[in-house]
Amino acid sequence: MRANGTSRREFLGWLSGIGAAAAAGSLMGSGVAAAADSVAVQVLRGVTLVDTGASPVRRDATLVLGEGRILAVGGRDLPVPAGAEVFDLPGKYVIPGLWDMHVHGAFLEKVTLPLCLVHGVVGFREMWGFPQHHDLRRRIEAGEVFGPRLIIGSAIIDGPDSVLPMALIVRTPEEARKAVRDSVAGGADFVKVYPFLDRVLLRAVADECRVLGVRFAGHASDHVPMSESSSLGQRTFEHMYGLPLATSTREAELRRRIAAMPLDPADPFVWFKGVREIEREAALSHSAVKARVLAHQLRRNGSWQSPTMVAMRVFSSPAAEFVGDERMKYMPPFYREYWAGQLARWSPVTELEIRQQREFFDARLRMVAEQHRFGVGTLLGTDTGNPYVFPGFSAHEELELLVRAGLSPMDALRAGTSEVARFLGEAAGAGTLAVGQRADVVVLDGDPLASIANTRRIHLVATRGRVITAADRVRMLAEVEQAALEPPVAGVARVGCC
């Protein structure tokens, strides 16, 4: 094995020899393959490919990675270039790298980024963007920091009130339009909206997004029906909020109650939580007919659901259930008090509250699966950064909850891979195990289609031209544990929201 990999001449000759001249031309045309005299190539041999694209499961296969792409897929006897790094992996399973489409906390780069990578999360959508996130993305793409790919949202736009003291509050349509313009000028990939926005303000946000050609996503407005928000252009609805109301036979009556609820600007959370209680009541009058009509509207408008079940499960459970979670060693110490304070306002306490919240959570899982069956796109998202929702770890919990809700293991995997690529408009270059796709893959010790819990059994991760082995994972986790003890970076906000 050559220490510096495969020579450029051998590499191109190998591609042509296996009938991949077109792929070679594509790589050369992109400028990817012309940067050095040698090519680092990794070969995963003897694996079972669990492709989330159209390809069937393929056993005893060989996957060749290099130049940031999947270069070849074949049988065990597939020729490989001289100098390639070969991993013989009989009995292992390969899936595409995962994405988490709802994350807070990229600013904790020594914690969030490595925890995502060691758990096979190769990209995520940062749902509350700040200038330091854009600088971090620049450093990641420049190779200065090893991290997942980032999609960065705007500052959260809400108003005329908000439960978030750091939200960008707007009170007039012009303020809403300006907030969108400023967000786009600051580099946001999309605009994040929040539930206090009324119809007038949400329309202003939507209109300015349309003018500027940018998407908006986030919470369902507590003042505007989901179907209307979808028609305005909202691309994702987070946390299952809005769904119980939108599918209730009592929606009109319950919306009148929401409109009549008093709001104390000194403590808007009381109003916000009051709406969640009305949504719990709405779930008791769920209509499959209304659900089908809603799904048709969401599909027609190109709106997706990102249910973040793992976070909603925490908020629906007694706080005592999370005391002693061993994963806290990977989080900065201030999170223990910070998360406890958040749950003190959220968690059910009495036996009745606990039972009601558990039943409500199960009802929302059924609604998510129902919308999925009706054809609404589903994205894996965790709401990492909120209480006991841990970077990387929780992506696998979310997969398990998607299956518990009623999705098949394959559909759950697609929610974090090929469906993400389709949502982002990258279906031709990411999310599956086809030749030409990005070389983002996760090797597992067990079959994820037999049990989705096997996605936790990670053997290695390949991304950005690097392979994270079992030994690397142990080292990286130890480094995160030490980094968590470092003093907080000055000026960095403790961001937590839903």
Side-chain angles (χ1 to χ4, degrees):
M1 182 180 296
R2 193 181 282 105
N4 60 350
T6 302
S7 74
R8 181 72 44 191
R9 181 186 298 273
E10 289 173 332
F11 171 67
L12 294 177
W14 168 78
L15 278 176
S16 299
I18 63 169
S26 174
L27 288 168
M28 290 295 290
S30 69
V32 173
D37 293 331
S38 65
V39 180
V41 177
Q42 296 90 32
V43 178
L44 311 181
R45 191 159 57 191
V47 296
T48 296
L49 303 182
V50 182
D51 195 352
T52 53
S55 302
V57 171
R58 182 169 183 169
R59 302 188 185 280
D60 205 18
T62 297
L63 197 67
V64 183
L65 315 175
E67 302 293 76
R69 296 286 170 181
I70 296 175
L71 302 176
V73 178
R76 177 180 280 276
D77 58 351
L78 179 75
V80 299
E85 185 177 14
V86 178
F87 296 85
D88 283 306
L89 301 167
K92 307 299 183 186
Y93 295 78
V94 179
I95 62 172
L98 299 169
W99 275 70
D100 186 337
M101 293 297 281
H102 197 123
V103 168
H104 300 284
F107 58 86
L108 291 172
E109 62 181 80
K110 293 183 180 180
V111 172
T112 300
L113 304 190
L115 283 182
C116 284
L117 291 175
V118 300
H119 289 96
V121 176
V122 299
F124 63 79
R125 193 170 58 152
E126 170 58 63
M127 295 297 286
W128 193 348
F130 291 93
Q132 61 260 41
H133 293 132
H134 295 279
D135 178 66
L136 175 60
R137 177 164 62 182
R138 178 195 62 76
R139 290 186 288 122
I140 290 173
E141 295 305 323
E144 299 169 15
V145 175
F146 185 35
R149 291 172 174 83
L150 301 187
I151 304 294
I152 303 172
S154 69
I156 291 174
I157 300 176
D158 204 3
D161 299 283
S162 182
V163 293
L164 299 176
M166 293 178 60
L168 183 53
I169 301 296
V170 298
R171 294 187 170 87
T172 67
E174 183 48 42
E175 288 180 353
R177 291 177 182 275
K178 183 178 185 301
V180 173
R181 291 195 297 270
D182 291 347
S183 297
V184 173
D189 298 313
F190 66 96
V191 168
K192 169 80 177 285
V193 294
Y194 226 52
F196 280 73
L197 291 171
D198 60 24
R199 179 174 281 104
V200 172
L201 294 174
L202 186 63
R203 282 184 176 275
V205 167
D207 287 346
E208 197 65 23
C209 285
R210 189 176 303 111
V211 168
L212 297 178
V214 66
R215 299 173 169 184
F216 74 97
H219 283 221
S221 167
D222 287 335
H223 302 283
V224 182
M226 272 185 77
S227 57
E228 183 177 341
S229 297
S230 172
S231 295
L232 288 173
Q234 185 160 342
R235 292 304 310 278
T236 65
F237 291 92
E238 313 295 315
H239 316 306
M240 304 178 279
Y241 291 162
L243 187 56
L245 274 169
T247 57
S248 169
T249 57
R250 299 174 57 201
E251 181 179 10
E253 168 205 341
L254 296 175
R255 287 201 174 279
R256 288 193 294 271
R257 280 175 51 188
I258 291 173
M261 284 171 52
L263 188 151
D264 179 4
D267 191 3
F269 181 80
V270 174
W271 191 91
F272 177 79
K273 192 173 181 182
V275 175
R276 307 284 76 79
E277 175 58 21
I278 289 177
E279 286 204 314
R280 185 194 66 78
E281 189 176 339
L284 301 175
S285 55
H286 177 74
S287 164
V289 173
K290 288 198 68 178
R292 187 181 293 274
V293 171
L294 175 68
H296 173 75
Q297 294 168 319
L298 297 183
R299 290 200 318 272
R300 180 191 63 199
N301 295 328
S303 299
W304 296 58
Q305 59 178 351
S306 175
T308 69
M309 298 173 178
V310 64
M312 297 302 99
R313 179 179 60 183
V314 174
F315 286 123
S316 300
S317 304
E321 290 187 5
F322 306 99
V323 174
D325 192 313
E326 64 178 14
R327 295 172 295 179
M328 285 304 299
K329 65 185 179 182
Y330 299 117
M331 303 303 295
F334 71 75
Y335 268 86
R336 190 177 302 276
E337 180 180 349
Y338 176 51
W339 284 356
Q342 284 188 290
L343 287 186
R345 303 201 76 185
W346 270 104
S347 298
V349 176
T350 68
E351 288 187 12
L352 176 61
E353 289 173 339
I354 293 169
R355 177 174 57 79
Q356 288 177 334
Q357 287 302 315
R358 284 180 173 156
E359 291 173 352
F360 181 34
F361 179 71
D362 287 341
R364 286 184 290 172
L365 297 192
R366 292 192 295 271
M367 291 179 203
V368 167
E370 181 180 59
Q371 289 294 299
H372 182 81
R373 287 197 307 274
F374 291 157
V376 176
T378 303
L379 299 172
L380 186 154
T382 63
D383 212 1
T384 284
N386 272 282
Y388 301 97
V389 185
F390 296 90
F393 291 97
S394 289
H396 300 276
E397 295 177 271
E398 188 73 14
L399 287 170
E400 292 167 17
L401 285 168
L402 286 168
V403 172
R404 172 179 157 186
L407 276 67
S408 70
M410 178 60 86
D411 281 343
L413 288 172
R414 287 181 175 134
T417 56
S418 56
E419 287 292 86
V420 172
R422 186 163 72 92
F423 173 78
L424 294 176
E426 297 181 343
T432 74
L433 299 177
V435 172
Q437 298 277 286
R438 279 202 297 259
D440 293 334
V441 303
V442 184
V443 179
L444 307 174
D445 287 331
D447 182 357
L449 300 185
S451 171
I452 196 64
N454 282 329
T455 65
R456 296 176 185 256
R457 299 173 59 194
I458 294 175
H459 184 76
L460 62 80
V461 178
T463 186
R464 293 191 179 276
R466 294 173 59 174
V467 174
I468 304 171
T469 65
D472 293 328
R473 295 181 75 242
V474 171
R475 172 183 54 79
M476 290 170 70
L477 286 170
E479 290 172 352
V480 171
E481 191 172 351
Q482 288 301 308
L485 300 177
E486 296 177 3
V489 177
V492 170
R494 301 179 184 183
V495 176
C497 74
C498 294

